[in-house]
Amino acid sequence: MKKFTLLVAVLMMVAFAGTGCKKQQPPPPPMPPQGAPGQPGMMPGAPHGETGAPPVEKKIIVPDAVKAGWKAVKVEVEFKEKKSQKAFTIPLNSEFKVPDTDLTLKVGNFLPHFTMAADQITSSSNNPENPAAQLEVFQGGKEIFHGWLFSKFPAVHPFTHDKYGVALLEGVKK
């Protein structure tokens, strides 16, 4: 009986130790709302889910090291009808008229290691771990997209359009 009790005690200790030693990774933070007009929670004034509550405005904090280290982004524009793509380097905080189109791209901030908390969006480091660029797209002077593009996760909150695609390729260092 002593051996059985000892065996049960050892097995329980191993079971509890095994469950307590696993390193728990926190789930990735949810992505900020964005997109085209009419998509729920995507634009100011658009529906915001069932509650109708407006999204919490997140403060964007660009660390000084990031400001000092990056000067532009490389963006790829897809021309769906021609089945072609062309890459453009666009300085941060500037506008760029896409040649032979009625599109204007307005690049805002670039965060090489995009992270998001309840009240802020920032970069955890200056390394391109999760590169993201803040982008507005205008067609004929009308805003059709306002949000973040992610180079490693292009399917997260993508720019969608019948004729064009826009994707973030990478940041350009100073």
Side-chain angles (χ1 to χ4, degrees):
M1 186 67 176
K2 279 186 173 182
K3 286 184 181 181
F4 178 74
T5 305
L6 181 61
L7 178 62
V8 170
V10 168
L11 288 174
M12 288 179 66
M13 286 174 39
V14 169
F16 288 129
T19 58
C21 291
K22 289 183 182 174
K23 186 175 181 183
Q24 296 280 334
Q25 292 291 335
M31 304 319 290
Q34 58 193 6
Q39 292 178 332
M42 298 302 175
M43 295 285 293
H48 297 288
E50 294 179 26
T51 64
V56 175
E57 189 66 32
K58 295 187 184 312
K59 185 175 182 180
I60 298 167
I61 299 171
V62 182
D64 290 339
V66 171
K67 288 178 189 174
W70 302 88
K71 65 178 181 179
V73 293
K74 283 188 184 175
V75 174
E76 181 178 77
V77 176
E78 176 187 11
F79 302 90
K80 294 179 180 179
E81 293 172 346
K82 296 178 184 177
K83 295 184 170 105
S84 66
Q85 300 92 20
K86 181 152 177 140
F88 300 99
T89 299
I90 306 170
L92 298 179
N93 302 306
S94 72
E95 288 188 11
F96 175 76
K97 169 85 171 79
V98 180
D100 304 319
T101 72
D102 59 348
L103 294 182
T104 300
L105 307 179
K106 184 176 180 183
V107 175
N109 295 301
F110 174 74
L111 299 174
H113 193 166
F114 179 97
T115 54
M116 186 172 71
D119 61 344
Q120 73 177 14
I121 295 171
T122 191
S123 187
S124 293
S125 73
N126 211 7
N127 299 323
E129 302 291 329
N130 185 22
Q134 200 174 23
L135 185 77
E136 294 175 67
V137 180
F138 297 87
Q139 185 172 26
K142 180 182 175 194
E143 184 178 275
I144 58 172
F145 178 84
H146 182 117
W148 291 89
L149 294 182
F150 298 85
S151 67
K152 292 186 178 180
F153 304 100
V156 174
H157 303 295
F159 167 72
T160 55
H161 191 280
D162 293 340
K163 293 171 64 175
Y164 307 105
V166 178
L168 173 66
L169 296 177
E170 63 186 355
V172 178
K173 289 191 171 197
K174 288 186 178 178

